[in-house]
Amino acid sequence: MATIHADDMLLTVPAKARARLMKEIEGPVKMKWTDTVTEDQWVRFLGKEYRRIKDGFAVRVPPEYYEKLLEMFRLETCRSVVSPAENVSDHGTKGESLSDQQVSQYRTAVGKLMWMIHERADLAYVVKELARNLREPTTVEWGRLKRCLRYVRGTTNAEQHLTYNSQEPETLLQVMVDANWARDGGRKSTSGGVLLLQGFPLEHWSKTQANIALSSGEAELYAMNSGAIELRRLSNVCAELGQTLVGMLLCDSSAALAVPYRRGTGRMRHLEAKDLWLQEEFRRGHIKFQKIATADNVADLLTKPLTGPAMRGLCTDLGLMLQPGELRDEVNVLEAHPPPTCERCQRLAEYDCTYAGQLFWRCPGCNRTKSWHAYQRGWTVWQDDGAPASSRDDQQPLPPTPRRTATTARTGRSRTVASSTTGSPPSPVTQVYVTTGSTDSRAPLGAQLDANSADPALQQSLATRRQIDYLAGLCRRRGRDEATVLRPGLTKAQASAWIDQLR
């Protein structure tokens, strides 16, 4: 295989045939051969650096490229952040105009970042958003750019691993798509997609949709159309080369996946015919469709800002390796600080819950609690249930107060919620409402373990469907048996604790 760009060529052949093929090329063309890509050193090609790894190659942006970019903003020694963008919406926020020099710096920096996103999928979404306002950037875009550069400061050693999955068929061409509905100021959605051949990442994209979607399902449908077009384009090219590929489109939206199986528009008459061509592709057998869990959909990385742990998990699934040393600002509390031993009864405390930046352990003997405060990086003293709150001067965090016993009222028939493990019998629960204060307003607390029990521990809410799906994806990613985590009667607090541990 040869990758040719103008007068530059990257040749990928078996070692035995390399000398013969190089000799044949040198006949009609004058060539100057440079270094061979090995495991020992990085070799530069078209500005990027390549190195051999097991079952493939690693490619990266040269570290000096990052340094020159950071020098433009005097951020060589800045403190890094764990995500390139904040997960908040600033719709309607208007900033002040920048000076001519700042506008020039902004455009130059965005252009340099755009050159990196082929090997840095974690930057694709934020760079796409920065590039949307190159004409008249304001202080809002300037702040976004500075945060992105602080994230770049901590990820200068990122490597994109180009490997294949030997467990998948050689003819399997997959595209994972996702959409983020109506997030930007113009209420246009973002489509993201990743194209994989036998698990080998070929292409990824993050694009703003041309039309304003009227629902999240419609936005996902537009993303499926974009992904299917890329899939059909590559499959047609391979067909001309004599290789037949099986196309598979994966999406995490049940509403959008239901469209190709229908015939006609149904109630979606506002959609144009061009948006329903997936139905014809499905009937002809050109594309197969499959549901994928949100936690496993790497295209989610390309549509919205994510938290640090979630983003790093998806980057790993895509083959983008962020070095462990880059995460020095984060602390894995569960590994660094195991559960303490109670001084009163000499029993090892059990992991209880997480709350507002604190991790709580409870002694099974005397029922006292002790916590690790994530912000203060320190332990609290053992506290009995019902102990008075400490003063502001001490700054001692307190465990969350248990849910108070209140008069419950059944509303309609009892709902049946399936347990977390497949095949286990469902447990009947009821929707419970607790009166808050002296007002008549009622706050829904969701399905509980035992709504009629006076024990606050049995009044805890069961884990939500979203928590269960996310936990299942984390278990598969970490190689842990789901049955040991997703047990019947899993509460929200327990699910949050497992999420913190597996992330």
Side-chain angles (χ1 to χ4, degrees):
M1 183 184 70
T3 301
I4 302 175
H5 179 81
D7 57 351
D8 296 310
M9 175 185 294
L10 181 64
L11 195 62
T12 308
V13 294
K16 296 181 180 180
R18 182 177 59 188
R20 176 182 57 81
L21 189 57
M22 290 171 61
K23 197 171 187 178
E24 292 179 358
I25 296 176
E26 288 176 346
V29 181
K30 185 178 180 180
M31 297 292 297
K32 179 182 178 181
W33 302 102
T34 56
D35 298 332
T36 302
V37 180
T38 62
E39 298 180 356
D40 301 329
Q41 62 179 353
W42 291 95
V43 176
R44 185 164 299 189
F45 176 71
L46 296 180
K48 309 295 174 62
E49 293 183 343
Y50 293 80
R51 180 173 61 88
R52 282 291 305 272
I53 58 174
K54 184 180 179 181
D55 298 330
F57 295 88
V59 58
R60 72 175 185 180
V61 177
E64 55 267 23
Y65 186 87
Y66 294 110
E67 297 300 329
K68 292 180 180 179
L69 176 60
L70 293 170
E71 286 176 3
M72 292 176 54
F73 294 83
R74 300 180 181 179
L75 296 175
E76 308 95 312
T77 59
C78 70
R79 183 174 180 178
S80 62
V81 293
V82 296
S83 61
E86 293 180 322
N87 192 13
V88 295
S89 177
D90 54 3
H91 172 56
T93 303
K94 295 182 179 179
E96 300 177 359
S97 300
L98 301 178
S99 64
D100 293 341
Q101 182 181 359
Q102 288 178 319
V103 171
S104 178
Q105 277 187 300
Y106 182 88
R107 294 171 180 171
T108 302
V110 172
K112 289 181 175 292
L113 289 171
M114 291 178 66
W115 186 77
M116 297 192 302
I117 60 176
H118 297 288
E119 290 73 32
R120 295 294 304 269
D122 54 337
L123 299 176
Y125 171 77
V126 64
V127 174
K128 185 264 295 184
E129 291 295 311
L130 292 173
R132 294 182 63 189
N133 198 11
L134 288 176
R135 185 169 177 265
E136 295 180 353
T138 64
T139 53
V140 175
E141 285 79 19
W142 184 264
R144 295 175 184 170
L145 175 62
K146 296 288 283 291
R147 179 183 174 87
C148 180
L149 293 178
R150 286 195 293 271
Y151 170 76
V152 169
R153 170 70 280 170
T155 57
T156 55
N157 292 325
E159 301 177 9
Q160 174 65 56
H161 287 190
L162 305 175
T163 59
Y164 71 98
N165 187 356
S166 59
Q167 304 297 327
E168 295 182 356
E170 296 181 358
T171 59
L172 179 61
L173 180 62
Q174 294 179 316
V175 58
M176 297 185 184
V177 297
D178 191 33
N180 186 16
W181 178 49
R183 179 182 177 86
D184 69 349
R187 293 311 177 201
K188 289 186 177 180
S189 307
T190 297
S191 298
V194 178
L195 201 58
L196 306 167
L197 178 59
Q198 199 183 0
F200 188 96
L202 299 176
E203 183 182 356
H204 64 263
W205 61 87
S206 178
K207 301 178 180 178
T208 301
Q209 296 179 0
N211 301 328
I212 297 179
L214 302 183
S215 65
S216 59
E218 185 177 336
E220 297 279 359
L221 179 61
Y222 292 155
M224 288 176 59
N225 275 279
S226 300
I229 291 173
E230 297 297 327
L231 189 149
R232 291 290 293 151
R233 174 184 61 82
L234 187 57
S235 61
N236 289 338
V237 171
C238 292
E240 293 181 1
L241 298 176
Q243 184 178 9
T244 303
L245 300 179
V246 178
M248 176 74 72
L249 190 148
L250 299 97
C251 180
D252 56 10
S253 172
S254 300
L257 284 172
V259 175
Y261 299 105
R262 301 175 184 170
R263 296 183 70 92
T265 60
R267 297 182 178 181
M268 301 182 299
R269 297 179 182 177
H270 62 286
L271 294 181
E272 299 179 5
K274 68 180 181 65
D275 297 321
L276 297 178
W277 69 283
L278 292 178
Q279 297 178 354
E280 187 67 21
E281 292 294 305
F282 171 72
R283 286 193 292 270
R284 292 181 179 180
H286 293 165
I287 301 177
K288 298 179 181 179
F289 299 90
Q290 183 176 333
K291 178 71 180 295
I292 185 173
T294 302
D296 297 330
N297 190 356
V298 295
D300 196 38
L301 179 69
L302 305 163
T303 59
K304 64 178 74 69
L306 297 175
T307 60
M311 184 184 64
R312 289 194 299 275
L314 294 177
C315 285
T316 302
D317 293 343
L318 190 57
L320 179 59
M321 303 302 173
L322 304 178
Q323 302 300 323
E326 301 159 6
L327 311 179
R328 56 186 179 273
D329 291 334
E330 293 193 358
V331 177
N332 190 330
V333 179
L334 294 177
E335 293 181 0
H337 304 278
T341 301
C342 179
E343 298 91 343
R344 179 182 298 176
C345 54
Q346 299 300 317
R347 297 184 64 176
L348 189 67
E350 296 179 351
Y351 191 56
D352 190 43
C353 64
T354 62
Y355 180 75
Q358 303 172 54
L359 300 178
F360 289 90
W361 285 269
R362 185 177 297 275
C363 175
C366 58
N367 207 32
R368 295 192 304 165
T369 59
K370 192 171 186 178
S371 69
W372 164 265
H373 198 269
Y375 303 119
Q376 297 180 11
R377 299 285 190 264
W379 286 97
T380 63
V381 297
W382 284 99
Q383 298 178 0
D384 297 317
D385 284 346
S390 57
S391 64
R392 290 183 179 270
D393 296 333
D394 295 337
Q395 291 293 311
Q396 293 288 346
L398 291 175
T401 56
R403 178 176 296 170
R404 58 179 177 173
T405 306
T407 305
T408 60
R410 295 181 179 270
T411 58
R413 295 180 299 175
S414 297
R415 295 193 301 119
T416 301
V417 178
S419 62
S420 304
T421 54
T422 306
S424 301
S427 56
V429 296
T430 57
Q431 182 71 24
V432 178
Y433 295 90
V434 176
T435 303
T436 58
S438 59
T439 63
D440 295 330
S441 60
R442 295 177 181 272
L445 296 176
Q448 296 174 297
L449 290 174
D450 187 358
N452 297 322
S453 175
D455 186 0
L458 296 179
Q459 294 184 18
Q460 299 182 72
S461 298
L462 292 172
T464 63
R465 185 78 256 169
R466 185 174 182 180
Q467 284 179 308
I468 293 173
D469 291 342
Y470 186 59
L471 263 177
L474 286 176
C475 290
R476 289 192 296 269
R477 194 178 302 159
R478 299 292 182 260
R480 190 183 183 102
D481 186 10
E482 297 179 21
T484 61
V485 178
L486 302 179
R487 296 179 178 178
L490 183 71
T491 65
K492 287 183 178 179
Q494 292 170 340
S496 298
W498 274 114
I499 290 173
D500 289 342
Q501 183 175 359
L502 294 176
R503 282 194 311 196

